[in-house]
CSV table of all heavy atoms in Angstrom, one decimal:
chain,number,residue,atom,x,y,z
O,211,PHE,N,76.6,102.3,115.7
O,211,PHE,CA,77.9,101.8,116.1
O,211,PHE,C,78.8,101.2,115.1
O,211,PHE,O,78.3,100.8,114.0
O,211,PHE,CB,77.7,100.8,117.3
O,211,PHE,CG,77.1,99.4,116.7
O,211,PHE,CD1,78.0,98.4,116.3
O,211,PHE,CD2,75.7,99.3,116.7
O,211,PHE,CE1,77.5,97.2,115.8
O,211,PHE,CE2,75.2,98.0,116.2
O,211,PHE,CZ,76.1,97.0,115.8
O,212,GLU,N,80.0,101.2,115.2
O,212,GLU,CA,81.0,100.5,114.4
O,212,GLU,C,81.8,99.5,115.4
O,212,GLU,O,82.0,99.8,116.5
O,212,GLU,CB,81.9,101.4,113.7
O,212,GLU,CG,81.3,102.4,112.8
O,212,GLU,CD,82.2,103.4,112.3
O,212,GLU,OE1,82.8,103.2,111.3
O,212,GLU,OE2,82.3,104.5,113.0
O,213,GLN,N,82.3,98.4,114.8
O,213,GLN,CA,83.2,97.5,115.6
O,213,GLN,C,84.1,96.8,114.6
O,213,GLN,O,83.7,96.6,113.4
O,213,GLN,CB,82.3,96.5,116.4
O,213,GLN,CG,81.9,95.3,115.7
O,213,GLN,CD,82.6,94.0,116.2
O,213,GLN,OE1,82.6,93.7,117.4
O,213,GLN,NE2,83.3,93.3,115.3
O,214,ALA,N,85.2,96.3,115.1
O,214,ALA,CA,86.1,95.4,114.4
O,214,ALA,C,87.1,94.8,115.3
O,214,ALA,O,87.3,95.2,116.4
O,214,ALA,CB,86.9,96.3,113.4
O,215,ASP,N,87.5,93.6,114.9
O,215,ASP,CA,88.6,93.0,115.6
O,215,ASP,C,90.0,93.7,115.2
O,215,ASP,O,90.1,94.0,114.1
O,215,ASP,CB,88.8,91.5,115.2
O,215,ASP,CG,87.7,90.6,115.8
O,215,ASP,OD1,87.1,91.1,116.8
O,215,ASP,OD2,87.5,89.5,115.3
O,216,VAL,N,90.8,93.9,116.3
O,216,VAL,CA,92.0,94.7,116.1
O,216,VAL,C,93.1,93.9,116.9
O,216,VAL,O,93.0,93.5,118.1
O,216,VAL,CB,92.0,96.1,116.6
O,216,VAL,CG1,93.3,96.9,116.6
O,216,VAL,CG2,90.9,96.9,115.8
O,217,LYS,N,94.4,93.8,116.3
O,217,LYS,CA,95.4,93.3,116.9
O,217,LYS,C,96.7,94.2,116.6
O,217,LYS,O,97.0,94.5,115.5
O,217,LYS,CB,95.8,91.8,116.4
O,217,LYS,CG,96.9,91.1,117.2
O,217,LYS,CD,97.0,89.7,116.6
O,217,LYS,CE,98.1,88.9,117.4
O,217,LYS,NZ,98.2,87.5,116.9
O,218,ILE,N,97.3,94.7,117.8
O,218,ILE,CA,98.4,95.6,117.7
O,218,ILE,C,99.6,95.0,118.4
O,218,ILE,O,99.5,94.6,119.6
O,218,ILE,CB,97.9,97.0,118.4
O,218,ILE,CG1,96.8,97.5,117.6
O,218,ILE,CG2,99.1,97.9,118.3
O,218,ILE,CD1,96.2,98.7,118.3
O,219,GLN,N,100.7,95.0,117.7
O,219,GLN,CA,101.9,94.4,118.3
O,219,GLN,C,103.1,95.2,118.0
O,219,GLN,O,103.1,96.1,117.1
O,219,GLN,CB,102.2,93.0,117.8
O,219,GLN,CG,101.1,91.9,118.1
O,219,GLN,CD,101.4,90.6,117.4
O,219,GLN,OE1,101.7,90.5,116.2
O,219,GLN,NE2,101.3,89.6,118.3
O,220,TYR,N,104.2,95.1,118.9
O,220,TYR,CA,105.5,95.7,118.6
O,220,TYR,C,106.5,94.6,118.6
O,220,TYR,O,106.7,93.9,119.5
O,220,TYR,CB,105.7,96.7,119.8
O,220,TYR,CG,107.0,97.6,119.5
O,220,TYR,CD1,107.0,98.6,118.5
O,220,TYR,CD2,108.3,97.2,120.1
O,220,TYR,CE1,108.1,99.3,118.3
O,220,TYR,CE2,109.3,97.9,119.8
O,220,TYR,CZ,109.3,99.0,118.9
O,220,TYR,OH,110.4,99.7,118.7
O,221,HIS,N,107.2,94.5,117.4
O,221,HIS,CA,108.1,93.5,117.1
O,221,HIS,C,109.5,94.1,117.1
O,221,HIS,O,109.8,95.1,116.3
O,221,HIS,CB,107.8,92.8,115.8
O,221,HIS,CG,108.7,91.7,115.5
O,221,HIS,ND1,108.7,90.4,116.2
O,221,HIS,CD2,109.7,91.6,114.6
O,221,HIS,CE1,109.7,89.7,115.6
O,221,HIS,NE2,110.4,90.4,114.7
O,222,THR,N,110.5,93.4,117.8
O,222,THR,CA,111.9,93.8,117.7
O,222,THR,C,112.7,92.6,117.3
O,222,THR,O,112.4,91.5,117.7
O,222,THR,CB,112.4,94.4,119.0
O,222,THR,OG1,112.1,93.4,120.1
O,222,THR,CG2,111.6,95.7,119.4
O,223,SER,N,113.8,92.8,116.6
O,223,SER,CA,114.7,91.8,116.3
O,223,SER,C,116.1,92.3,116.4
O,223,SER,O,116.4,93.4,115.8
O,223,SER,CB,114.4,91.2,114.9
O,223,SER,OG,115.3,90.3,114.4
O,224,SER,N,117.0,91.4,116.9
O,224,SER,CA,118.3,91.8,117.0
O,224,SER,C,119.3,90.9,116.3
O,224,SER,O,120.5,90.9,116.4
O,224,SER,CB,118.8,91.8,118.5
O,224,SER,OG,118.6,90.4,119.1
O,225,GLY,N,118.7,90.1,115.3
O,225,GLY,CA,119.5,89.3,114.4
O,225,GLY,C,119.4,87.8,115.0
O,225,GLY,O,118.8,87.0,114.4
O,226,ARG,N,119.9,87.6,116.1
O,226,ARG,CA,119.9,86.3,116.8
O,226,ARG,C,118.6,86.0,117.5
O,226,ARG,O,118.2,84.8,117.6
O,226,ARG,CB,121.1,86.2,117.8
O,226,ARG,CG,122.4,86.2,117.2
O,226,ARG,CD,123.5,85.9,118.3
O,226,ARG,NE,124.8,85.7,117.7
O,226,ARG,CZ,125.9,85.4,118.5
O,226,ARG,NH1,125.8,85.2,119.8
O,226,ARG,NH2,127.1,85.3,117.8
O,227,SER,N,118.0,87.0,118.0
O,227,SER,CA,116.7,86.8,118.7
O,227,SER,C,115.7,87.9,118.3
O,227,SER,O,116.0,88.9,117.8
O,227,SER,CB,116.9,86.8,120.1
O,227,SER,OG,117.4,88.1,120.6
O,228,SER,N,114.4,87.5,118.5
O,228,SER,CA,113.4,88.5,118.3
O,228,SER,C,112.3,88.4,119.4
O,228,SER,O,112.3,87.4,120.1
O,228,SER,CB,112.7,88.2,116.9
O,228,SER,OG,112.1,86.9,116.9
O,229,HIS,N,111.6,89.5,119.6
O,229,HIS,CA,110.6,89.5,120.7
O,229,HIS,C,109.4,90.3,120.1
O,229,HIS,O,109.5,91.4,119.5
O,229,HIS,CB,111.2,90.2,121.9
O,229,HIS,CG,110.2,90.4,123.0
O,229,HIS,ND1,109.8,89.2,123.7
O,229,HIS,CD2,109.5,91.4,123.5
O,229,HIS,CE1,108.9,89.6,124.6
O,229,HIS,NE2,108.7,91.0,124.6
O,230,THR,N,108.2,89.8,120.4
O,230,THR,CA,107.0,90.5,120.0
O,230,THR,C,106.1,90.7,121.3
O,230,THR,O,105.9,89.8,122.1
O,230,THR,CB,106.1,89.6,119.0
O,230,THR,OG1,106.9,89.4,117.9
O,230,THR,CG2,104.9,90.3,118.6
O,231,THR,N,105.7,92.0,121.5
O,231,THR,CA,104.8,92.4,122.6
O,231,THR,C,103.5,92.8,121.9
O,231,THR,O,103.4,93.6,121.1
O,231,THR,CB,105.4,93.6,123.3
O,231,THR,OG1,106.7,93.3,123.8
O,231,THR,CG2,104.5,94.0,124.5
O,232,THR,N,102.4,92.1,122.5
O,232,THR,CA,101.1,92.3,122.0
O,232,THR,C,100.6,93.5,122.9
O,232,THR,O,100.3,93.3,124.1
O,232,THR,CB,100.2,91.2,122.2
O,232,THR,OG1,100.8,90.2,121.3
O,232,THR,CG2,98.7,91.4,121.7
O,233,TYR,N,100.3,94.7,122.3
O,233,TYR,CA,99.6,95.7,122.9
O,233,TYR,C,98.1,95.6,123.2
O,233,TYR,O,97.5,95.9,124.3
O,233,TYR,CB,99.8,97.0,122.2
O,233,TYR,CG,101.3,97.6,122.2
O,233,TYR,CD1,101.6,98.7,121.4
O,233,TYR,CD2,102.3,97.1,123.0
O,233,TYR,CE1,102.9,99.2,121.4
O,233,TYR,CE2,103.6,97.6,123.0
O,233,TYR,CZ,104.0,98.6,122.1
O,233,TYR,OH,105.2,99.1,122.1
O,234,PHE,N,97.5,95.1,122.1
O,234,PHE,CA,96.1,94.9,122.2
O,234,PHE,C,95.6,93.8,121.2
O,234,PHE,O,96.2,93.7,120.1
O,234,PHE,CB,95.4,96.3,121.8
O,234,PHE,CG,93.9,96.1,121.9
O,234,PHE,CD1,93.2,96.6,122.9
O,234,PHE,CD2,93.1,95.7,120.8
O,234,PHE,CE1,91.7,96.5,123.0
O,234,PHE,CE2,91.7,95.6,120.8
O,234,PHE,CZ,91.1,96.1,121.9
O,235,GLU,N,94.7,92.9,121.7
O,235,GLU,CA,94.1,91.9,120.9
O,235,GLU,C,92.7,91.7,121.3
O,235,GLU,O,92.5,91.2,122.4
O,235,GLU,CB,94.9,90.6,120.9
O,235,GLU,CG,94.4,89.6,119.9
O,235,GLU,CD,95.2,88.2,119.9
O,235,GLU,OE1,96.2,88.2,120.7
O,235,GLU,OE2,94.9,87.4,119.1
O,236,GLY,N,91.7,92.2,120.5
O,236,GLY,CA,90.4,92.0,120.9
O,236,GLY,C,89.4,92.8,120.0
O,236,GLY,O,89.7,92.9,118.8
O,237,ARG,N,88.4,93.4,120.6
O,237,ARG,CA,87.5,94.1,119.8
O,237,ARG,C,87.4,95.6,120.1
O,237,ARG,O,87.6,96.0,121.3
O,237,ARG,CB,86.1,93.6,120.0
O,237,ARG,CG,85.9,92.1,119.7
O,237,ARG,CD,84.6,91.5,120.2
O,237,ARG,NE,83.4,91.9,119.5
O,237,ARG,CZ,82.2,91.5,119.7
O,237,ARG,NH1,81.9,90.6,120.5
O,237,ARG,NH2,81.2,92.0,119.0
O,238,MET,N,87.3,96.4,119.1
O,238,MET,CA,87.2,97.9,119.3
O,238,MET,C,85.8,98.3,118.7
O,238,MET,O,85.4,97.9,117.8
O,238,MET,CB,88.4,98.6,118.6
O,238,MET,CG,89.7,98.5,119.4
O,238,MET,SD,90.9,99.6,118.7
O,238,MET,CE,92.2,99.2,119.9
O,239,PHE,N,85.3,99.3,119.5
O,239,PHE,CA,83.9,99.8,119.1
O,239,PHE,C,83.9,101.3,119.1
O,239,PHE,O,84.7,102.0,119.8
O,239,PHE,CB,82.9,99.4,120.2
O,239,PHE,CG,82.9,97.9,120.4
O,239,PHE,CD1,83.8,97.3,121.3
O,239,PHE,CD2,82.0,97.0,119.8
O,239,PHE,CE1,83.8,95.9,121.6
O,239,PHE,CE2,82.0,95.7,120.0
O,239,PHE,CZ,82.8,95.1,121.0
O,240,VAL,N,83.1,101.9,118.3
O,240,VAL,CA,82.8,103.2,118.3
O,240,VAL,C,81.2,103.5,118.3
O,240,VAL,O,80.5,103.0,117.4
O,240,VAL,CB,83.3,104.0,117.0
O,240,VAL,CG1,83.1,105.5,117.1
O,240,VAL,CG2,84.8,103.7,116.8
O,241,PHE,N,80.7,104.3,119.3
O,241,PHE,CA,79.3,104.4,119.5
O,241,PHE,C,79.0,105.9,119.4
O,241,PHE,O,79.8,106.8,119.9
O,241,PHE,CB,78.9,103.9,120.8
O,241,PHE,CG,79.1,102.4,121.0
O,241,PHE,CD1,80.2,102.0,121.6
O,241,PHE,CD2,78.1,101.6,120.5
O,241,PHE,CE1,80.4,100.7,121.8
O,241,PHE,CE2,78.3,100.1,120.7
O,241,PHE,CZ,79.4,99.7,121.4
């Protein structure tokens, strides 16, 4: 097996404001 912590986000900014959406935050595995 393989495993790792992974954090995936999508960040947008319009100058005055910004927003971050977290798609995934946790552990990923391959068996």
Side-chain angles (χ1 to χ4, degrees):
F211 69 88
E212 298 173 89
Q213 85 109 59
D215 285 343
V216 175
K217 187 174 184 178
I218 302 172
Q219 296 178 312
Y220 186 77
H221 178 78
T222 58
S223 177
S224 61
R226 289 187 176 183
S227 63
S228 61
H229 179 72
T230 301
T231 301
T232 299
Y233 287 172
F234 182 94
E235 184 177 5
R237 299 170 70 177
M238 287 190 174
F239 308 82
V240 183
F241 301 93

